[in-house]
Amino acid sequence: MLDDFLVRATLAGVGVAIAAAPLGCFVVWRRMAYFGDATAHAAILGVALSLALSTSVFTGALAVALIMALTVSMLTGRGYAMDTLLGVLAHSALAFGLVAVSFLKGVRVDLDAYLFGDILAVSKSDLAVIWSGAVLVLVLTIWRWSALLTSTLNPDLAYASGIDPKREQLVLTLGLAMVVAVAIKVIGALLIVALLIIPAASARPVTRTPEAMALCAAVIGVVSALLGLRASFLWDTPSGPTIVCVAAVIFLGTNLSARLGLGKL
């Protein structure tokens, strides 16, 4: 069954969507979209380094994405506005990554595959990495759900409850780096944040509780992946961008339904 490239692509899309959904909710609640964007852009530098060192792309992307996220966390509040800091680091890392790739001799690099994703080229080993990462992210999120939610809603309440918001920030950072690393082959560095925030933003107007929002976001992400792949196959369009387009249409639909007062889950 896994010898069929469409089956592998479908499983890869579903795995990434499920992993991205709950973290995407926290990205929306904490207004961290630019933070995720910076982490995703930095992953290109990780891809270049992994190819230069002949190591796993997943390992390189994860390492650099994690370093970027930790750097931003440490530098926050030290004289730079958050949007300025993220803008400098994100675009610098992306530029250094693209320049580093140009120095790789004898290595054929399809930049479009890493920038916009190449889900149809996912191999069995890629699938194993994607689902392993997705399971780790889900386990981490479920384990820290209550603490992450409390520190997101009210840091003072978190301190009073014995929860360190900075520690939970690091947990969220680790999860985001993991999602970026597993998603870069599927959706691409430039579209990863779209799959993080659009399903979550789509679920927000039609749900009443954080748990319902996370579950609804996962369903929307999976539906976007399935319909996007189907549309891509039928109309011969790029798979990654098509998945994001479907998610955007669903976002429009849920917001319209909320404005029409059709009820919440």
Side-chain angles (χ1 to χ4, degrees):
M1 182 177 71
L2 293 180
D3 290 331
D4 188 330
F5 74 96
L6 279 178
V7 173
R8 294 197 303 272
T10 300
L11 290 174
V14 170
V16 170
I18 290 175
L23 288 180
C25 292
F26 286 105
V27 169
V28 170
W29 292 330
R30 290 174 175 243
R31 300 179 182 179
M32 292 174 60
Y34 210 2
F35 182 89
D37 204 32
T39 306
H41 284 181
I44 292 295
L45 178 57
V47 169
L49 292 175
S50 64
L51 292 174
L53 299 173
S54 300
T55 60
S56 165
V57 169
F58 169 79
T59 302
L62 177 60
V64 175
L66 188 56
I67 291 171
M68 167 65 79
L70 291 174
T71 300
V72 171
S73 296
M74 288 187 296
L75 293 179
T76 300
R78 299 196 177 185
Y80 295 99
M82 174 62 84
D83 58 343
T84 301
L85 183 63
L86 287 173
V88 170
L89 292 177
H91 295 97
S92 297
L94 178 60
F96 276 111
L98 295 176
V99 170
V101 166
S102 70
F103 283 105
L104 298 177
K105 304 300 181 183
V107 178
R108 183 179 177 276
V109 182
D110 183 4
L111 280 178
D112 284 346
Y114 292 109
L115 291 173
F116 301 105
D118 192 6
I119 192 172
L120 297 180
V122 170
S123 64
K124 293 180 182 179
S125 58
D126 291 330
L127 203 55
V129 169
I130 289 168
W131 273 96
S132 297
V135 169
L136 284 174
V137 169
L138 282 177
V139 169
L140 181 66
T141 306
I142 292 170
W143 174 45
R144 304 303 304 173
W145 178 265
S146 180
L148 280 169
L149 190 59
T150 302
S151 62
T152 297
L153 297 176
N154 192 326
D156 292 332
L157 178 60
Y159 278 119
S161 304
I163 299 170
D164 184 357
K166 292 183 178 180
R167 181 186 62 200
E168 302 312 317
Q169 172 76 20
L170 289 177
V171 170
L172 185 58
T173 294
L174 177 61
L176 282 173
M178 184 74 72
V179 168
V180 167
V182 300
I184 193 168
K185 184 69 177 287
V186 174
I187 202 76
L190 299 183
L191 300 175
I192 289 172
V193 179
L195 201 61
L196 272 170
I197 64 174
I198 295 179
S202 302
R204 192 172 192 175
V206 295
T207 53
R208 298 180 186 274
T209 66
E211 291 77 12
M213 179 174 164
L215 183 60
C216 185
V219 172
I220 291 172
V222 170
V223 170
S224 299
L226 296 178
L227 293 182
L229 279 171
R230 179 64 176 170
S232 173
F233 181 74
L234 290 175
W235 298 328
D236 193 25
T237 55
S239 299
T242 305
I243 291 172
V244 175
C245 287
V246 172
V249 171
I250 295 175
F251 170 78
L252 180 61
T254 58
N255 277 271
L256 286 176
S257 67
R259 288 184 177 274
L260 293 173
L262 299 182
K264 295 186 176 185
L265 300 176

